[in-house]
């Protein structure tokens, strides 16, 4: 009878342990899913921020160009108005000379002329001078008006660019807040997940779970092994994809986003990289920018690129652009990671 009771107690204990392990496994899975979702949300925010930062930089350059064009238009307008004023003064002097000072009145032209031909010649001369002055004044007036209209259009363009820049700056501020909140939430979920994993592992060990079950709870990490030959192959391959269009979520030669491009490159040589820019910025081995070598991943806020040496990178920039080689200094660098 005692044996039956003991066996029943053992069975109940085992069932309870199994049920407890299942519940913990569900908790780990749920937390992992929440963390993945939050990580994706953070990656999206950071990708959007990177795009906005590039757009703000473009707006600033465009505004600088508009300011230069406005200054040039103001200079041309001032010159045109000065010429118009001079032309007007000259015309008044000619009129005064012909009609008020040394010249004769129109009636005297008729009286003193010896023939109708002479009258017509003198009259025609007066008309020519008048037409010349009038045409010149109209020409200069039209030039000044056109330049003024150009200046007004340039100022309108500048105001539109300023408004767009202010809107982008506001979006940037909102994104900084969202990123900060997402990072706090992600950090909290990471801590909870770690605690749940440790608790599940202890429960599995306590219930004599198999080593394979324990392995499923924790994830191994890998480090770089300084394979320079691999790095050279990755860099050489990167040049083959210059000109491929940027595609959000893209990770193939038909279209890449920034992390899709780097993960695809390394994947061709058997090296698995995380699919998000923020995750890639924590993988591999950390090196300083002064120690960066071709094949390293250069990390920015919400963006990653492949370093190809001599201060240059190849990357998939933003929507509307294509994979290209450019300076490493496109944005502040947040880190350098080595996966080779």
């Amino acid at each position: 009878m005692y044996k039956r009771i003991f066996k029943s107690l053992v069975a109940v204990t085992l069932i309870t342990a199994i049920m407890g392990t299942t519940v913990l496994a569900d908790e780990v899975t749920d937390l992992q899913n929440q963390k993945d979702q939050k990580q994706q949300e953070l990656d999206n925010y950071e990708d959007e921020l990177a795009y906005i930062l590039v757009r703000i930089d473009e707006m600033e350059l465009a505004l600088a160009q508009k300011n230069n064009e406005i200054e040039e238009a103001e200079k041309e307008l001032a010159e045109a108005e000065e010429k118009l004023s001079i032309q007007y003064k000259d015309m008044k002097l000619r009129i005064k000379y012909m009609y008020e000072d040394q010249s004769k009145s129109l009636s005297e032209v008729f009286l003193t002329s010896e023939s109708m031909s002479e009258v017509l010649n003198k009259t025609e001369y007066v008309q020519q001078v008048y037409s010349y002055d009038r045409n010149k004044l109209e020409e200069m007036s039209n030039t000044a008006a056109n330049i003024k209209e150009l200046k007004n259009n340039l100022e309108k363009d500048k105001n539109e660019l300023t408004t767009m820049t202010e809107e982008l700056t506001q979006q940037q501020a909102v994104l900084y807040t969202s990123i900060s909140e997402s990072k706090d939430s992600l950090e909290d979920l990471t801590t909870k997940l770690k605690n749940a994993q440790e608790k599940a592992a202890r429960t599995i060990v306590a219930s004599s779970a198999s080593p394979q079950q324990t392995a499923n709870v924790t994830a191994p990490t890998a480090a770089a092994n300084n394979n320079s030959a691999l790095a050279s192959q990755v860099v050489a391959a990167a040049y083959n994809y210059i000109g491929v269009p940027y595609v959000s979520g893209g990770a193939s030669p038909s279209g890449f986003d920034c992390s899709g491009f780097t993960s695809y490159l390394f994947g061709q040589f058997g090296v698995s990289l995380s699919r998000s820019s923020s995750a890639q910025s924590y993988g591999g081995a950390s090196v300083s920018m002064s120690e960066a070598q071709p094949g390293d991943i250069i990390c920015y806020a919400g963006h990653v690129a492949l370093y190809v040496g001599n201060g240059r990178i190849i990357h998939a920039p933003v929507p509307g652009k294509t994979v290209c080689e450019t300076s490493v200094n496109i944005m502040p660098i947040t880190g350098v990671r080595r996966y080779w």
Side-chain angles (χ1 to χ4, degrees):
M1 180 177 178
Y2 290 110
K3 289 182 178 181
R4 285 199 300 272
I5 294 173
F6 178 74
K7 289 180 180 179
S8 297
L9 289 173
V10 170
V12 170
T13 301
L14 287 172
I15 292 171
T16 302
I18 292 171
M19 291 179 63
T21 302
T22 302
V23 170
L24 287 172
D26 289 342
E27 181 183 359
V28 168
T29 300
D30 183 56
L31 286 170
Q32 184 65 59
N33 289 337
Q34 291 182 46
K35 180 184 175 183
D36 291 344
Q37 291 175 1
K38 186 59 66 175
Q39 182 65 64
Q40 185 61 54
E41 178 184 276
L42 177 60
D43 291 342
N44 291 340
Y45 283 145
E46 290 181 337
D47 286 344
E48 187 176 352
L49 177 61
Y51 174 68
I52 285 177
L53 290 174
V54 172
R55 289 286 293 143
I56 289 175
D57 185 63
E58 291 175 348
M59 291 296 106
E60 289 175 348
L61 291 174
L63 279 169
Q65 179 63 29
K66 287 297 176 186
N67 283 331
N68 291 337
E69 292 175 1
I70 289 172
E71 289 178 3
E72 185 64 27
E74 288 176 341
K75 180 180 177 182
E76 291 179 2
L77 179 59
E79 291 175 353
E81 289 176 341
E82 182 179 0
K83 289 180 180 179
L84 179 61
S85 177
I86 293 172
Q87 186 69 31
Y88 180 66
K89 290 177 182 177
D90 290 346
M91 182 192 73
K92 288 199 299 182
L93 286 174
R94 279 191 291 272
I95 291 174
K96 182 178 180 180
Y97 179 80
M98 287 189 300
Y99 298 112
E100 297 177 6
D101 293 342
Q102 301 173 15
S103 187
K104 301 174 183 178
S105 66
L106 189 59
S107 60
E108 289 177 320
V109 169
F110 283 97
L111 294 173
T112 59
S113 296
E114 295 180 356
S115 66
M116 183 57 67
S117 176
E118 185 178 352
V119 171
L120 292 175
N121 288 338
K122 290 181 179 181
T123 304
E124 184 179 358
Y125 171 74
V126 172
Q127 182 62 41
Q128 287 176 347
V129 172
Y130 168 76
S131 298
Y132 172 82
D133 285 328
R134 181 181 179 85
N135 291 337
K136 277 297 181 181
L137 284 174
E138 288 181 352
E139 179 184 332
M140 294 305 302
S141 180
N142 290 336
T143 299
N146 289 337
I147 295 174
K148 189 172 183 179
E149 182 180 2
L150 172 62
K151 179 189 173 185
N152 290 337
N153 289 336
L154 289 171
E155 288 178 340
K156 182 180 178 181
D157 291 344
K158 178 185 175 181
N159 291 335
E160 291 177 354
L161 287 170
T162 300
T163 299
M164 291 174 63
T165 302
E166 290 173 352
E167 291 174 352
L168 287 170
T169 302
Q170 291 174 358
Q171 293 178 36
Q172 178 186 3
V174 171
L175 282 170
Y176 276 134
T177 300
S178 299
I179 287 172
S180 178
E181 292 174 351
S182 293
K183 284 183 176 178
D184 290 342
S185 180
L186 185 61
E187 184 177 349
D188 181 59
L189 285 170
T190 300
T191 300
K192 289 180 179 178
L193 177 60
K194 181 181 178 182
N195 292 337
Q197 288 174 332
E198 291 175 350
K199 185 176 181 180
R202 290 195 298 270
T203 303
I204 291 172
V205 172
S207 60
S208 301
S210 69
Q212 181 62 39
Q213 287 176 302
T214 303
N216 289 335
V217 177
T218 57
T221 58
N225 55 13
N226 294 314
N227 185 346
S228 58
L230 171 63
S232 297
Q233 289 177 306
V234 171
V235 171
Y239 281 97
N240 295 328
Y241 302 105
I242 288 179
V244 172
Y246 182 100
V247 174
S248 297
S252 72
S254 61
F256 295 108
D257 61 16
C258 65
S259 58
F261 178 60
T262 49
S263 62
Y264 177 83
L265 287 175
F266 278 90
Q268 300 308 296
F269 301 97
V271 179
S272 178
L273 270 64
S274 299
R275 183 54 188 83
S276 69
S277 57
S278 60
Q280 288 185 18
S281 67
Y282 290 102
S286 176
V287 297
S288 66
M289 187 60 213
S290 62
E291 298 173 329
Q293 296 182 32
D296 289 338
I297 299 294
I298 307 298
C299 306
Y300 308 90
H303 191 66
V304 289
L306 181 72
Y307 188 60
V308 295
N310 298 320
R312 308 287 290 175
I313 57 171
I314 295 179
H315 70 145
V318 292
K321 302 292 185 179
T322 60
V323 174
C324 62
E325 180 184 353
T326 187
S327 168
V328 72
N329 298 314
I330 54 170
M331 290 185 290
I333 296 170
T334 60
V336 182
R337 312 300 297 189
R338 180 166 297 166
Y339 286 88
W340 45 270

